[in-house]
Amino acid sequence: MSQPRVFLVDDHELIRSGIRSELSGSVEIVGEADEVGAAIEMILERTPDVVLLDVHMPDGGGLAVLQAVGHADAATRFLALSVSDASEDVIALIRAGARGYVTKNISGPDLIDAIYRIAAGDVVFSPRLAGFVLDAFANPDGSPVRIADLDPELDQLTPREQQVLRLIARGYSYKDIASELTISIKTVESHVSSVLRKLQLSNRHQLTNWATERHLF
Amino acid sequence: MPVTTASKPILGVPQLPLRRSSSGNVLGGVCSGLAVRLGVRDRTIRIMFSVGALFFGFGLLLYVAVWLFLTRSGEDTSIGSRLASTRRRTRSLLLSLVVILAVLAILNALNLHGTGGFAWSLALSAFGLFAIWRGSSPDERAHLEGLVNAAPVMGAASSRGWKALVLRVVPGIVLVVVGLQILNKIGGIWGAAVPALLGAVVLLVGLLVLLAPWWLQNVRDLSSERRERVRIEERASMVAHIHDSVLQTLTLIERAASSESDVIRLARAQERELRQWLFNPDSIGTSAPTDGSFATLLGALENDVENDYGVKVQLVVVGDCPSDEKTRLLVAAGREAAINAAKWSTASTVSIFGEVEPSKVSLFVRDTGNGFDPDAVASDRQGIALSIKQRMAQIGGATTIRSTLGHGTEVELVLPRAAVGQ
């Protein structure tokens, strides 16, 4: 496979140069931007395969970029990159169309692996994102959600999906998960994609609450 | 250097330097300051000023002027010189003064009565008091605010006896007399009531037109001053935090620059603390490690293992519950497992996953290191494994240890929630 064309969006020069040096040689970096407006313009012009998107930036952050570009060019895929621990920020970005989320202290080889995965149309769930998603789809005790209120197609995770997410949260790689559950890696990937789809389309109140509280949608 | 004077006058002994008193003062400390300087009772000076005030308000004006231009004990500069040092304030105050003088001059020119010496000194004193209010130091401002707040209730406190009576009655009588005097001079109480009212209304409107912009300007200045104070306070607490945390860590990093693992450890710990401060400012200082929810206990565990053993800990927590004796023991068992992984596995990352479900609390500690054969372990490591198992058995939980040589180890700890005491 040829090297994916990658675009960097981050308002910190130090972080960008760090990522650049980790990625050099493994992917083709077609540009970078340190603010939302420039990022939108350049991404639309250069149509990269993968955009590495910082969650927290002035003027609306990664979300503003996603909303402006995401629909205009479906060929460009987004990987959210953050140091933030705030789950609602991350979930909001995924709901807006990002295909994965990793923390900035990810190792170089892992980041390259994640970029190749995203470029191939897969989904990248870091352990932390898996935890966020389990949390978002959990029914907290004390406030049981009536099953009738839920759309089983979108609002609930299947037991198998929960199993896969738990293994990701426990630090298992896709390969480890496949051998643990004696399924193929492709099946693991399809479970994760289905979770991502539910995350983006579900109207579950935990998910929409976050969004409306932050005036995002 | 600020000069602090003796607060008590010594009779017959003049003391230097001349300063407004900052203790035992009623208003601005002018009288007690002068009393100290001259070596007389402060009551004497007070009576002199009061008598002086009867002569066209001259005593009052003098008092305010001294208040403005005499440095307070313990401070460097007088209020007047402080006000003069900022150009914007000076301009707004000078403008106010010009307006007041203009109003008085117009009243005089219209030949209205009641605008004699009293009116001039009252207006100028009021202006002086306003300037004092604007320019006073925070310390003195607090004193003045106390005075202003206390003023309305002063007369009402009947237990104060004759003092309260005097405070309430004397200004009242003075005001009534002055008012009657004015009406009388206009031409009888009833005879000229209508023109007098008309005149008063015209006067009020004129004053309003003249003074409104000036007043607005001052109100705006005051509120912007307050906002600036709030900003300065916020900045100060921010600076304090950055200093205590980030700068200290940077200094430590400079010293430990030769040891890569130390630098990484310091940077990580600082990163976590700063992130915590930025995103959960309320939880600072409240999360003591022996107390707090399941998730906070795990956060402390992550922190300790990263700091003490220099491995990266990847912590994911789903759900949360208040901690009790059993969850604390569960976390303690998890800590043993994590330390074990950090010490022996040679893996660079230890994954910890905690989940609270209605029926159970589970904790997974996993590494991708060299693993071991659970049936043939060295006795010291078996000891640690035993201590984990014993802890879990003690609280009615289950321990599962899975390990494959060359592929790493995972310790699974499950505590049924029915066993979590209510």
Side-chain angles (χ1 to χ4, degrees):
Chain A
M1 185 163 126
S2 68
Q3 289 191 347
R5 304 169 64 247
V6 174
F7 191 92
L8 288 179
V9 184
D10 197 307
D11 55 335
H12 293 107
E13 168 60 29
L14 266 176
I15 299 274
R16 287 203 310 277
S17 70
I19 294 176
R20 240 187 353 249
S21 69
E22 298 236 34
L23 296 185
S24 65
S26 309
V27 306
E28 181 191 349
I29 295 177
V30 295
E32 53 187 71
D34 61 358
E35 47 113 9
V36 171
I40 293 170
E41 210 171 289
M42 286 164 83
I43 292 169
L44 287 174
E45 180 194 308
R46 299 185 188 179
T47 61
D49 298 321
V50 176
V51 176
L52 290 184
L53 193 57
D54 186 21
V55 176
H56 287 279
M57 277 190 298
D59 302 324
L63 196 64
V65 178
L66 248 176
Q67 281 167 340
V69 179
H71 304 291
D73 187 0
T76 298
R77 299 192 174 100
F78 292 84
L79 175 60
L81 200 60
S82 158
V83 287
S84 157
D85 281 327
S87 59
E88 59 269 31
D89 292 350
V90 177
I91 297 275
L93 222 66
I94 300 283
R95 279 173 73 82
R99 306 278 297 169
Y101 163 69
V102 293
T103 43
K104 278 182 185 167
N105 50 20
I106 187 175
S107 72
D110 285 350
L111 180 59
I112 292 166
D113 182 54
I115 290 171
Y116 272 86
R117 238 179 242 283
I118 295 271
D122 285 336
V123 174
V124 171
F125 267 38
S126 61
R128 189 164 278 156
L129 176 58
F132 289 163
V133 176
L134 282 171
D135 236 349
F137 279 94
N139 297 328
D141 17 48
S143 65
V145 178
R146 277 177 297 145
I147 300 298
D149 288 348
L150 295 176
D151 176 354
E153 198 37 45
L154 291 177
D155 293 348
Q156 271 186 314
L157 301 177
T158 65
R160 197 56 150 182
E161 285 162 359
Q162 287 185 24
Q163 223 173 359
V164 170
L165 284 183
R166 284 208 175 92
L167 287 171
I168 294 176
R170 276 156 66 180
Y172 281 63
S173 68
Y174 285 11
K175 200 172 120 232
D176 295 339
I177 295 172
S179 68
E180 175 80 17
L181 301 179
T182 52
I183 53 180
S184 71
I185 293 184
K186 270 279 156 245
T187 316
V188 176
E189 280 168 357
S190 85
H191 282 309
V192 176
S193 301
S194 137
V195 171
L196 182 89
R197 193 176 62 88
K198 288 182 180 181
L199 202 56
Q200 288 172 347
L201 299 179
S202 165
N203 287 319
R204 260 186 84 101
H205 67 277
Q206 275 101 332
L207 299 174
T208 45
N209 271 357
W210 283 339
T212 46
E213 265 166 31
R214 300 175 64 85
H215 314 291
L216 300 177
F217 297 97
Chain B
M1 276 296 290
V3 182
T4 312
T5 53
S7 57
K8 285 262 182 263
I10 306 169
L11 291 187
V13 183
Q15 299 179 67
L16 278 171
L18 177 56
R19 287 283 186 271
R20 287 193 292 117
S21 158
S22 60
S23 62
N25 51 330
V26 177
L27 286 171
V30 170
C31 290
S32 24
L34 282 172
V36 169
R37 171 71 184 88
L38 300 174
V40 293
R41 282 182 210 280
D42 40 11
R43 195 182 296 158
T44 316
I45 307 279
R46 286 197 178 117
I47 290 173
M48 282 167 65
F49 268 103
S50 306
V51 172
L54 293 178
F55 294 97
F56 305 108
F58 179 70
L60 182 66
L61 193 58
L62 184 66
Y63 185 94
V64 170
V66 176
W67 192 345
L68 253 179
F69 295 109
L70 189 56
T71 307
R72 192 172 189 239
S73 165
E75 286 175 16
D76 279 331
T77 50
S78 72
I79 292 176
S81 65
R82 269 206 298 277
L83 284 171
S85 65
T86 42
R87 180 177 289 189
R88 204 164 53 92
R89 278 187 186 172
T90 320
R91 208 192 302 137
S92 110
L93 283 169
L94 277 180
L95 202 70
S96 314
L97 185 61
V98 168
V99 168
I100 287 174
L101 290 177
V103 168
L104 285 170
I106 290 169
L107 289 180
N108 231 8
L110 290 176
N111 209 13
L112 279 169
H113 296 281
T115 55
F118 255 116
W120 282 89
S121 46
L122 272 179
L124 288 177
S125 303
F127 167 74
L129 285 173
F130 181 70
I132 287 166
W133 178 261
R134 292 291 307 274
S136 54
S137 61
D139 192 29
E140 191 167 9
R141 175 81 61 94
H143 172 67
L144 290 179
E145 275 171 357
L147 268 182
V148 170
N149 291 337
V153 293
M154 239 190 238
S158 53
S159 60
R160 290 276 188 85
W162 65 270
K163 263 190 185 172
L165 204 69
V166 169
L167 274 173
R168 186 177 46 192
V169 169
V170 169
I173 289 176
V174 167
L175 283 175
V176 169
V177 167
V178 169
L180 283 176
Q181 197 81 1
I182 292 169
L183 282 179
N184 200 24
K185 282 192 173 172
I186 287 172
I189 292 182
W190 302 110
V194 175
L197 258 179
L198 205 71
V201 169
V202 171
L203 199 64
L204 269 178
V205 172
L207 281 177
L208 215 68
V209 169
L210 277 170
L211 297 182
W214 160 78
W215 177 249
L216 282 176
Q217 166 75 34
N218 278 311
V219 166
R220 217 174 297 134
D221 276 6
L222 280 177
S223 74
S224 73
E225 264 172 44
R226 198 169 308 130
R227 235 177 298 136
E228 197 166 331
R229 236 192 336 266
V230 170
R231 236 199 332 266
I232 287 171
E233 276 165 20
E234 270 176 5
R235 197 182 138 68
S237 84
M238 180 90 141
V239 165
H241 183 270
I242 299 276
H243 175 266
D244 290 351
S245 57
V246 179
L247 286 184
Q248 301 283 19
T249 307
L250 285 177
T251 318
L252 287 175
I253 285 180
E254 272 171 40
R255 283 210 202 116
S258 53
S259 158
E260 194 185 350
S261 66
D262 276 356
V263 170
I264 291 174
R265 183 175 56 78
L266 287 166
R268 251 182 218 148
Q270 185 53 57
E271 180 203 329
R272 188 171 315 103
E273 195 202 307
L274 199 57
R275 202 190 291 162
Q276 169 93 348
W277 186 65
L278 287 174
F279 297 108
N280 298 311
D282 297 339
S283 61
I284 296 294
T286 60
S287 60
T290 53
D291 168 63
S293 70
F294 179 62
T296 37
L297 289 180
L298 286 180
L301 160 59
E302 174 194 24
N303 211 350
D304 294 348
V305 174
E306 280 198 351
N307 283 339
D308 297 347
Y309 298 93
V311 294
K312 185 173 159 38
V313 174
Q314 180 172 261
L315 172 68
V316 178
V317 187
V318 173
D320 201 359
C321 66
S323 66
D324 58 8
E325 193 52 39
K326 288 179 175 172
T327 40
R328 273 199 287 280
L329 279 169
L330 172 68
V331 173
R335 181 182 294 260
E336 289 293 337
I339 290 172
N340 217 6
K343 269 168 62 178
W344 303 103
S345 74
T346 69
S348 61
T349 305
V350 176
S351 301
I352 302 179
F353 172 59
E355 186 176 18
V356 178
E357 291 169 90
S359 61
K360 64 183 183 196
V361 182
S362 20
L363 190 56
F364 294 85
V365 178
R366 180 173 188 265
D367 67 72
T368 50
N370 45 21
F372 62 95
D373 180 355
D375 296 329
V377 289
S379 59
D380 58 332
R381 292 180 60 184
Q382 189 162 25
I384 293 167
L386 274 180
S387 87
I388 296 174
K389 283 181 176 158
Q390 270 166 2
R391 273 213 179 89
M392 291 306 292
Q394 195 185 333
I395 55 174
T399 310
T400 316
I401 298 178
R402 282 182 293 268
S403 189
T404 319
L405 277 175
H407 281 94
T409 307
E410 184 170 46
V411 178
E412 177 183 352
L413 309 168
V414 179
L415 173 66
R417 264 203 110 182
V420 176
Q422 288 296 314

